[in-house]
Amino acid sequence: MICDTLNQLHLYKGFHKNLDTAIAFLAAHPLDTLPLGRTEVDGDEVFINVMDADLKPHTGSHAEYHRLYADLQIDLTGSEHLGWASEGTEQGEFDEENDFGLRTGPEHCGMTLGEGRFAVFFPGELHKPSCKTPGCDHVRKAVVKILMK
C-alpha cells in the first residue's frame, strides 16, 4: 500500500510500467474533467472508473481485494475513510471475471482520503473503501485500475 499526496505521485515512477502510464495520464489530464464511468488509458492495462459513491458505515462492511489489478484511489469531491488489512477470512467465491473478492478481518491501518491525497492498493492487499467520515456521506472518486502482471 502507498498513501501520499497527488503532488508526490511522480515520485513513484519506475515501480511498474503500467503505474508509469497511469502517472503520466493523471499528470496530463485534470481529474475534474474525467467523465463518470470508464475512461480508457491503455485498454485493459490501465483504465479509470469515475463514480459517485454513497459512503457506508465502517463497521459491518467487508474488505475487498484483487488478484491482477492495483487500485489507485483518489477522492475528487468529499472524503472517505479507507481501511487496510494484511489478513482476513474469505467471504464467498472470488469473482475471476471482475477480479474481485471479499474478506473479513481486523483493520490494521486506516486513513482519510480527499484534499489531494491518494492511496494505492496492490494485488492481494485487503482494503475497505467508501466508508463514512465525519460530515461526509457521499464522494465522487476515481479508481485507476492498473494491471500488475
Side-chain angles (χ1 to χ4, degrees), residues 2 49 64-66 68-74 99-100 118-123 125 127 129 141-148:
I2 297 171
N49 289 323
E64 66 183 59
Y65 70 100
H66 315 288
L68 301 175
Y69 285 88
D71 279 1
L72 190 164
Q73 302 209 8
I74 306 164
D99 190 39
F100 182 84
F118 73 90
V120 178
F121 299 99
F122 293 99
E125 290 186 317
H127 53 289
K141 66 187 292 182
V143 179
V144 183
K145 303 295 286 184
I146 304 164
L147 187 63
M148 297 299 292

Side-chain angles (χ1 to χ4, degrees), residues 56 58-64 89 91 102-105 127-129:
K56 60 190 178 230
H58 182 263
T59 56
S61 58
H62 300 308
E64 66 183 59
T89 303
Q91 298 298 303
L102 294 172
R103 292 187 178 163
T104 59
H127 53 289
K128 190 187 303 184

Side-chain angles (χ1 to χ4, degrees), residues 80-136:
E80 68 184 299
H81 175 86
L82 290 172
W84 174 86
S86 61
E87 59 194 17
T89 303
E90 198 73 35
Q91 298 298 303
E93 294 289 321
F94 186 84
D95 181 344
E96 297 287 344
E97 183 178 336
N98 293 303
D99 190 39
F100 182 84
L102 294 172
R103 292 187 178 163
T104 59
E107 180 179 298
H108 296 122
C109 178
M111 66 197 84
T112 302
L113 280 192
E115 299 182 14
R117 291 181 291 274
F118 73 90
V120 178
F121 299 99
F122 293 99
E125 290 186 317
L126 301 178
H127 53 289
K128 190 187 303 184
S130 302
C131 295
K132 290 182 180 183
T133 57
C136 188

Side-chain angles (χ1 to χ4, degrees), residues 31-45:
L31 291 170
D32 59 357
T33 65
L34 296 176
L36 285 173
R38 182 173 168 142
T39 297
E40 296 287 332
V41 176
D42 186 15
D44 287 335
E45 301 282 313

